[in-house]
Amino acid sequence: MVTLTPLEAELLAVAGAVPDPELPVLTLRELGVLRAVHVRDTDAVEVELTPTYTGCPAVEAMSMDIERALHEHGVREVTVRTVLSPAWSTDDISAEGRRKLREFGIAPPRTTRSAPGPVTVTLGPTHTLHNQNHSHSHSHNHNHDHNHNHSEPDDLPTEGPDDPIRCPHCGSADTELLSRFSSTACKALRRCLACREPFDHFKEL
């Protein structure tokens, strides 16, 4: 475990508080892309930043925002270095970041792995059901009780890769895929068949 100096910890907090340019509800620290801040001289620091994917167009905006925040904090020279290994994963999003996504109306990504290593990608059905015995016709009944057997979103544990994608509004696992891409490439558009609300799902990587 890397030990930070008090100054590095302070600057890491400053840089980490910068909002993500594509998803400002999350900070760079909560998103997990800010890797480290190293003090190289009395008035010079180097920041390590890992993009969510190679060629991510938001990296330049992230770097500029980090530089601006540290300059305003009194650091004269700031160098932002892109680090590609270890690669970023949606598992790097913090618990607080996942809570904020759900609160903002975005289904957070499910946990993809418990240990470092390759991520196995499997293609499953686009329609996920909370209860396999739940009939499809009943799923489309607008008048059924939306709160029946639904956990409140804020009380949901972190889902695993095989768990259904839950609606961030009502907590229902009865959702369907509308589009594999939403406002950004990292999100898919889904709809809840219980409360009928559409929502974004932050896709697993």
Side-chain angles (χ1 to χ4, degrees):
M1 183 175 180
V2 179
T3 302
L4 300 177
T5 67
L7 179 57
E8 286 175 334
E10 176 184 341
L11 297 179
L12 185 65
V14 172
V18 171
D20 175 62
E22 290 185 340
L23 198 61
V25 67
L26 295 185
T27 66
L28 298 185
R29 189 76 179 273
E30 291 164 346
L31 185 59
V33 297
L34 185 66
R35 297 301 193 190
V37 172
H38 304 288
V39 176
R40 297 306 188 194
D41 203 347
T42 307
D43 201 18
V45 301
E46 180 182 88
V47 179
E48 294 182 359
L49 184 68
T50 299
T52 54
Y53 59 92
T54 304
C56 173
V59 170
E60 184 176 352
M62 290 180 189
S63 300
M64 292 177 61
D65 291 344
I66 288 173
E67 290 176 10
R68 184 181 303 109
L70 292 177
H71 284 321
E72 291 175 354
H73 197 70
V75 180
R76 180 179 56 82
E77 184 179 340
V78 179
T79 301
V80 180
R81 185 166 65 91
T82 300
V83 178
L84 299 180
S85 181
W88 179 86
S89 163
T90 47
D91 287 352
D92 295 327
I93 299 177
S94 69
E96 176 66 8
R98 293 168 187 274
R99 184 195 66 78
K100 285 185 176 181
L101 283 173
R102 191 178 292 115
E103 188 177 76
F104 193 65
I106 299 174
R110 296 162 295 182
T111 303
T112 60
R113 62 183 185 268
S114 57
V119 177
T120 301
V121 177
T122 55
L123 298 179
T126 60
H127 179 211
T128 59
L129 290 177
H130 178 58
N131 186 336
Q132 294 301 320
N133 296 322
H134 187 63
S135 69
H136 186 73
S137 60
H138 184 62
S139 298
H140 284 82
N141 183 352
H142 294 194
N143 297 321
H144 83 275
D145 183 0
H146 294 169
N147 295 319
H148 181 61
N149 289 333
H150 294 163
S151 302
E152 287 300 318
D154 289 342
D155 297 333
L156 295 176
T158 300
E159 294 94 353
D162 298 323
D163 289 334
I165 298 167
R166 294 181 177 274
C167 172
H169 305 297
C170 71
S172 172
D174 192 4
T175 69
E176 66 178 353
L177 180 68
L178 297 180
S179 173
R180 296 191 182 278
F181 298 97
S182 183
S183 56
T184 60
C186 66
K187 296 195 293 292
L189 180 62
R190 298 188 73 90
R191 178 173 58 194
C192 178
L193 297 178
C195 69
R196 310 302 297 176
E197 288 292 331
F199 64 91
D200 280 340
H201 166 230
F202 201 118
K203 293 182 288 189
E204 294 78 24
L205 178 64

